[in-house]
Amino acid sequence: MNNLLFDFTVDKEKKTVFVNKEFDADLSLVWDAFTKQEILDQWWAPKPWSSKTKVMDFEPGGRRFYAMVSPEGDEHWSLQQYTSVTPKTNFKYLNSFADKDENPELPGSDWDLSFSEENGITKVSITIKNDSLERMEKMIEMGFQGGFTMTLNYLDELLASLTKK
């Protein structure tokens, strides 16, 4: 399990972040972990924060409106607007920070997530294209790389516990 791929690359020139991560789990389980609210809320926040989804409608034109909640109860809201879904292989969304009333704070970023499986190992490739270098730098300054790495590690643990059932 230690030899699974994980890389996180920031390309400032292209205002893009590239994340590639392999999971020791089958494709349908990893897909569900990224697309089902009840699983997403178990891992989509760096501890001690938690994820709380208010609305999730996973289809093109649908959205996920959720908050990362601090132990003190502070809420940081985000809005994911799904632009395309190809079951079990790819989905895309526009991600933006938002207020509690679901008003997006633009510019946002375009997320493109691709899924593939080989020999029981599922690879997720994520491309996060930012509308502005300023937004990308703000995201990085807010600890995105460390936080997202931590979050993906929680997913590893969650998948291991789900596959044992």
Side-chain angles (χ1 to χ4, degrees):
M1 190 160 171
N2 305 352
N3 299 333
L4 294 178
L5 168 78
F6 176 62
D7 63 57
F8 191 108
T9 306
V10 175
D11 184 333
K12 285 192 174 185
E13 206 172 285
K14 293 183 177 164
K15 300 181 293 220
T16 302
V17 175
F18 299 94
V19 181
N20 291 292
K21 173 95 170 100
E22 289 179 339
F23 296 97
D24 188 9
D26 71 21
L27 177 66
S28 57
L29 181 60
V30 176
W31 176 264
D32 286 352
F34 276 86
T35 62
K36 292 201 160 140
Q37 174 180 337
E38 60 275 15
I39 305 176
L40 261 172
D41 277 347
Q42 294 180 58
W43 68 272
W44 191 262
K47 293 200 179 2
W49 292 66
S50 62
S51 174
K52 175 180 85 175
T53 299
K54 188 171 181 180
V55 176
M56 182 148 180
D57 181 18
F58 184 70
E59 63 182 24
R63 72 195 195 287
R64 176 178 181 226
F65 179 53
Y66 72 98
M68 288 194 189
V69 185
S70 76
E72 299 76 35
D74 292 330
E75 296 175 335
H76 291 266
W77 291 93
S78 289
L79 180 61
Q80 297 172 341
Q81 296 168 295
Y82 300 108
T83 54
S84 91
V85 175
T86 307
K88 307 265 195 265
T89 57
N90 177 272
F91 69 93
K92 298 176 181 165
Y93 60 83
L94 173 65
N95 184 74
S96 50
F97 299 116
D99 65 20
K100 64 180 175 41
D101 299 314
E102 217 172 315
N103 298 303
E105 183 186 300
L106 298 173
S109 54
D110 288 301
W111 287 55
D112 184 341
L113 294 87
S114 295
F115 297 75
S116 60
E117 181 181 359
E118 196 173 313
N119 302 322
I121 302 293
T122 298
K123 179 180 177 186
V124 181
S125 298
I126 305 170
T127 303
I128 306 163
K129 189 160 183 39
N130 290 272
D131 290 342
S132 73
L133 184 59
E134 294 74 26
R135 185 190 190 281
M136 185 175 90
E137 287 178 335
K138 178 181 173 185
M139 200 171 85
I140 301 297
E141 276 168 31
M142 289 171 68
F144 178 72
Q145 183 168 354
F148 198 55
T149 299
M150 194 186 299
T151 299
L152 291 171
N153 290 337
Y154 298 146
L155 177 56
D156 263 334
E157 294 166 19
L158 179 63
L159 291 169
S161 73
L162 293 172
T163 50
K164 286 177 187 162
K165 290 180 181 172

